[in-house]
Amino acid sequence: MTDFNDWMHAIQSRTEVVLERLLPSGQVVPQRLHQAMRYVVLGGGKRVRALLAHAAGELCDADPARVDAAAAAVELIHAYSLVHDDLPCMDDDDLRRGKPSCHKQFDDATALLVGDALQSLAFQALAQPGLLQDAACQLTMSHLLAQASGSRGMAGGQAIDLASVGLDLTQMELEFMHIHKTGALIRAAALLGAHCGQTHNVSRLAALDHYAKSIGLAFQVVDDILDSEADTATLGKTAGKDAAQNKPTYVTILGPERAKRLAQELHDSALEQLVPFGAQALRLKQLAAFITQRQF
């Protein structure tokens, strides 16, 4: 078996190829919109959600070619969310993945349309005829992604985030926000990968969902720590933006040391869910470490 870094780079490269094929050429009308879509999706990001989809797919003996569609779909939704998140009416950030954000490189209207188009393309990827032999399961996957992306998931979490600027949230309130804003799509990535496989055992899916919920929260805790301690060059986005905008974070609520302990506790909670799967869950275990041990 290849080591984790080799596996990770292989999945990242594979996902890049799939996304490149899914995205319309920049030469196709409307060229500016298609160029902007490719600008924000290709050549950047850690592809954590794609990695989760493939790791969960391996756990459930899924054909990697089928997982490709699920991995691409969650990456497209994630990219759209970043484009909209950076807009002046949201977080108003000029930098993303180490380069000018979409509305700075193009314009606000194009960025808005890019987000709309990427969201549609994500569902187009999941809805392709024959992706799964079981059409009902394929429909379930679309339902999962829609719920994770909408008002009861990512979009709802962003609304809570915008409404929370300047407020003193409790840890429970902050967790509720991030279960939706960040965690919902991470959980969807794992479940979509699993649904591409042969095993749809309810208890197995519940354990995987619990794992992904813990990892999704850990991802946000680490992001908050890095935002307060790392520099802009390391992050690829504007450092210290949350503090500047008076946003509640795990660091402002708990302090840096307690936040770091919480990230470790969430990591341990995630691993507990994987115990019944034994060696089959190796990639999920390695991903948990990768997400929670990003340098801070």
Side-chain angles (χ1 to χ4, degrees):
M1 178 177 286
T2 56
D3 69 23
F4 175 72
N5 283 332
D6 288 343
W7 175 83
M8 178 176 67
H9 294 318
I11 297 300
Q12 289 167 335
S13 298
R14 181 187 186 105
T15 303
E16 188 79 4
V17 170
V18 173
L19 289 168
E20 201 280 335
R21 290 173 178 167
L22 275 173
L23 289 159
S25 165
Q27 304 307 310
V28 172
V29 177
Q31 292 97 328
R32 184 174 175 83
L33 174 60
H34 291 151
Q35 288 163 10
M37 290 166 66
R38 297 177 73 86
Y39 174 82
V40 301
V41 172
L42 300 176
K46 296 176 287 294
R47 307 296 187 207
V48 168
R49 291 150 192 83
L51 292 167
L52 276 168
H54 277 279
E58 285 189 19
L59 183 69
C60 297
D61 300 318
D63 180 349
R66 290 176 174 168
V67 182
D68 282 337
V74 291
E75 286 294 331
L76 289 168
I77 293 289
H78 178 55
Y80 121 66
S81 75
L82 298 181
V83 171
H84 281 190
D85 193 51
D86 288 338
L87 284 168
C89 62
M90 296 279 191
D91 283 355
D92 193 14
D93 209 321
D94 295 346
L95 192 67
R96 176 65 67 177
R97 292 177 172 172
K99 60 185 182 181
S101 49
C102 187
H103 72 277
K104 297 301 292 184
Q105 184 71 15
F106 295 88
D107 53 71
D108 290 6
T110 299
L112 184 65
L113 291 171
V114 163
D116 295 342
L118 291 179
Q119 182 173 203
S120 297
L121 187 59
F123 286 97
Q124 180 180 325
L126 277 189
Q128 58 184 286
L131 175 64
L132 298 183
Q133 292 180 336
D134 185 345
C137 183
Q138 190 171 344
L139 185 61
T140 295
M141 290 170 65
S142 291
H143 177 80
L144 278 170
L145 185 60
Q147 189 168 39
S149 305
S151 63
R152 290 186 290 170
M154 183 183 68
Q158 176 70 355
I160 296 169
D161 187 23
L162 292 171
S164 299
V165 175
L167 300 182
D168 293 323
L169 299 187
T170 65
Q171 183 179 341
M172 186 176 296
E173 289 170 333
L174 188 65
E175 181 177 298
F176 180 82
M177 177 175 79
H178 287 304
I179 282 173
H180 293 78
K181 182 183 177 183
T182 304
L185 196 58
I186 285 177
R187 291 166 74 181
L191 291 175
L192 289 175
H195 274 80
C196 290
Q198 304 299 316
T199 304
H200 299 147
N201 179 278
V202 173
S203 61
R204 195 178 182 89
L205 290 175
L208 183 61
D209 186 48
H210 193 145
Y211 160 89
K213 179 181 177 181
S214 296
I215 286 304
L217 284 173
F219 186 96
Q220 184 60 53
V221 175
V222 174
D223 256 18
D224 285 354
I225 296 167
L226 290 173
D227 185 72
S228 70
E229 296 187 357
D231 57 26
T232 297
T234 301
L235 293 176
K237 58 183 179 180
T238 306
K241 195 72 182 289
D242 290 340
Q245 294 182 332
N246 199 22
K247 282 190 171 186
T249 70
Y250 284 100
V251 173
T252 61
I253 288 176
L254 301 176
E257 293 310 313
R258 284 182 61 198
K260 290 174 184 178
R261 287 199 298 272
L262 176 59
Q264 185 60 49
E265 289 167 6
L266 289 165
H267 168 270
D268 295 344
S269 175
L271 292 193
E272 286 178 14
Q273 300 302 314
L274 301 179
V275 171
F277 304 130
Q280 272 189 299
L282 175 63
R283 295 308 186 196
L284 290 170
K285 293 176 183 177
Q286 292 171 327
L287 268 176
F290 173 72
I291 288 170
T292 56
Q293 294 171 15
R294 288 174 291 162
Q295 197 162 15
F296 50 73

